[in-house]
Amino acid sequence: MAKRVLVLGANGFIGSRIAAALSAAGWQVRAGARDPLRSRRRAPHYEWIKADFHDLTRAQDWGPLLAGVDVVVNCVGVLQDGGRDSNHIAHVDGPRALIAACETAGMKRLIHISAVGADADAGTLYASSKAETENMVAASGLDWVILRPSLVVDRAAFGGTGFIRALSAMPLIIPVVGGDQPFKPVALADLADAVVRLSEDNAISREKMDITGPQTVTMTQTVQLYRGWLGFAAAPVVRVPRWVAAPAIVVGDMLGRIGWPSPLRTTSIKQLDYGAAGEDSDWGTRLGLEPRSFTRFLSENPASVQDVWHARLWAVRPVSILTLGLFWFLTGVVSYTAGWEASLAIIRESAAAQWAWPIVWFGALLDVALGLALFVRAWTARVAILMFMATVGYLVAATVLLPNYWVNPLGPWLKVLPMMALCLFVAATDERR
């Protein structure tokens, strides 16, 4: 009978690949995620279960998740507080309850995925809370292993790697903050293979290991190598002074607090400055694996057109959302203020002249409401579709009431067609992982 493993954070960038590797090795995967119904559509072979650390802060809360489990792999982690993300819940309250539940259940093996730089001296809540998790795991009576990977790379991209690829795809120049920060990139497939070996063999026990690749590259070298991997001609790397980048980092922090997580935040910069390379732990040799260098990983995983599109559109999407939201919001504001009389005059040219005031008033209200609603992260895709549908209705009514404006030199009806295409783009690119 196959053994069962509980993978927490199984829908994440790292957790999804670890779950896949364990499943391929013959393990029954119980996959924990905040939204198991949605995750099940992508990986129907697993036994999905709801595992939101916000709801799992007591040892007894973990009972149903641990039933029949032989090994637990914890891949849950957040970068910075904001929205539904909480360092204390993800790295302290949840793991404390998990450890206690594992001890009570007699479930021995716990593999915890931490990160290089998870040290209290790093000066971030991310690092200090992760260090607290490591200390709790180490103090437990479990058969534990803590893995601390350096920069994790894969064909997929999320968070920091998505941001690095986006920088590498910038036109003309590649802007970086710093540039000399070192990495020892580790292929996600190699990290997943390590977890499989550690799940099947407990010869390595109660040990903390940095999981690093055999090649050290700086941030500058990383973006240059990614640029070549995407097929773009070489471009100069421009080192952006910290004071120039500071406003963008402040904006990134603010957006993160309201549910729009960005890798360009204070925590990211501090962790890079503290160190993200890690120490050589000889983990590959000890586990019978051959970790790939960064250049070998790139060569063995050639970029596809989807990778190129993602890198190019990474920065285009937020600009599109901001432009679209402001377009609708400011259109409504102008209609209510300086453009009020002009708007009434246009409607009075049509057969609906007697309804001019309510048409303009409610139309402007809809513009303002949809413009603001687009900026609510959970609503963005649906609001963009609503904008598209509302514009279709608007053009149908406009064609019936004022068809002559289709041939107006300023093109008031024609100009909304590109905006409709922008609505579809925003809705179609809503997925984060």
Side-chain angles (χ1 to χ4, degrees):
M1 183 177 177
K3 292 184 178 181
R4 179 178 282 110
V5 59
L6 170 63
V7 180
L8 299 167
N11 63 326
F13 172 62
I14 291 177
S16 60
R17 286 299 298 269
I18 287 177
L22 286 162
S23 179
W27 286 78
Q28 291 182 354
V29 175
R30 178 173 291 167
R34 283 182 180 177
D35 185 359
L37 294 177
R38 187 178 187 184
S39 300
R40 184 177 292 114
R41 292 196 290 267
R42 293 182 170 177
H45 183 62
Y46 306 153
E47 176 194 352
W48 286 97
I49 188 167
K50 184 175 177 60
D52 187 340
F53 275 30
H54 287 80
D55 306 323
L56 298 167
T57 56
R58 302 174 304 167
Q60 57 265 38
D61 298 330
W62 286 92
L65 284 78
L66 295 175
V69 168
D70 300 288
V71 176
V72 174
V73 182
N74 181 27
C75 306
V76 174
V78 302
L79 177 67
Q80 194 163 311
D81 289 354
R84 288 278 293 167
D85 291 340
S86 166
N87 277 275
H88 200 269
I89 290 174
H91 302 155
V92 181
D93 291 346
R96 179 187 290 121
L98 169 63
I99 292 167
C102 288
E103 291 177 326
T104 300
M107 202 286 306
K108 291 291 185 181
R109 193 71 158 166
L110 171 63
I111 300 172
H112 175 68
I113 309 298
S114 186
V116 164
D119 308 312
D121 294 339
T124 66
L125 179 59
Y126 164 84
S128 61
S129 60
K130 273 189 166 289
E132 189 171 351
T133 313
E134 293 185 3
N135 291 336
M136 289 189 297
V137 172
S140 74
L142 300 174
D143 173 16
W144 55 267
V145 180
I146 296 172
L147 304 182
R148 294 161 48 103
S150 181
L151 179 69
V152 179
V153 295
D154 193 42
R155 272 296 304 275
F158 179 75
T161 52
F163 180 59
I164 291 172
R165 287 193 197 180
L167 290 178
S168 71
M170 290 290 179
L172 303 179
I173 63 169
I174 306 174
V176 298
V177 179
D180 296 325
Q181 303 97 324
F183 302 117
K184 291 184 178 179
V186 57
L188 180 49
D190 293 341
L191 172 60
D193 286 344
V195 172
V196 172
R197 297 288 176 93
L198 290 166
S199 299
E200 295 174 341
D201 185 350
N202 62 356
I204 296 176
S205 179
R206 302 184 67 81
E207 190 172 332
K208 188 185 301 186
M209 305 170 67
D210 282 6
I211 305 297
T212 61
Q215 180 181 10
T216 302
V217 290
T218 64
M219 172 66 86
T220 295
Q221 292 169 328
T222 301
V223 293
Q224 289 173 329
L225 286 167
Y226 262 131
R227 187 175 182 87
W229 180 72
L230 291 168
F232 300 143
V237 174
V238 176
R239 296 172 185 262
V240 180
R242 299 301 174 98
W243 65 269
V244 173
I249 295 170
V250 170
V251 171
D253 287 341
M254 293 173 58
L255 290 174
R257 292 191 190 100
I258 61 174
W260 289 89
S262 164
L264 189 61
R265 287 187 273 180
T266 301
T267 298
S268 304
I269 299 299
K270 286 185 175 181
Q271 289 297 140
L272 284 175
D273 290 342
Y274 179 74
E279 302 295 332
D280 182 13
S281 63
D282 199 28
W283 64 276
T285 300
R286 296 179 65 190
L287 292 173
L289 299 171
E290 184 184 353
R292 282 165 284 187
S293 67
F294 184 45
T295 50
R296 178 184 165 189
F297 162 78
L298 294 176
S299 300
E300 293 179 353
N301 294 272
S304 67
V305 66
Q306 290 84 357
D307 297 308
V308 176
W309 279 35
H310 182 266
R312 282 178 165 166
L313 296 178
W314 196 94
V316 174
R317 174 174 161 78
V319 173
S320 300
I321 294 171
L322 180 63
T323 302
L324 185 61
L326 288 178
F327 172 83
W328 280 74
F329 174 73
L330 293 177
T331 297
V333 170
V334 168
S335 296
Y336 274 136
T337 55
W340 178 257
E341 291 300 329
S343 300
L344 290 176
I346 291 173
I347 302 300
R348 285 169 180 157
E349 295 177 29
S350 72
Q354 60 181 326
W355 303 104
W357 193 94
I359 288 174
V360 173
W361 196 91
F362 284 107
L365 178 63
L366 180 66
D367 289 347
V368 169
L370 289 179
L372 292 176
L374 189 75
F375 298 134
V376 179
R377 177 68 189 90
W379 300 349
T380 301
R382 284 171 288 182
V383 171
I385 294 297
L386 252 170
M387 286 175 167
F388 179 85
M389 295 172 63
T391 306
V392 170
Y394 165 77
L395 284 180
V396 170
T399 301
V400 172
L401 296 174
L402 295 162
N404 55 303
Y405 275 79
W406 279 107
V407 293
N408 185 288
L410 295 178
W413 296 170
L414 289 172
K415 285 179 178 177
V416 301
L417 297 179
M419 183 274 296
M420 295 173 69
L422 193 60
C423 290
L424 296 178
F425 170 77
V426 168
T429 56
D430 192 61
E431 295 293 333
R432 290 184 59 232
R433 61 175 88 206

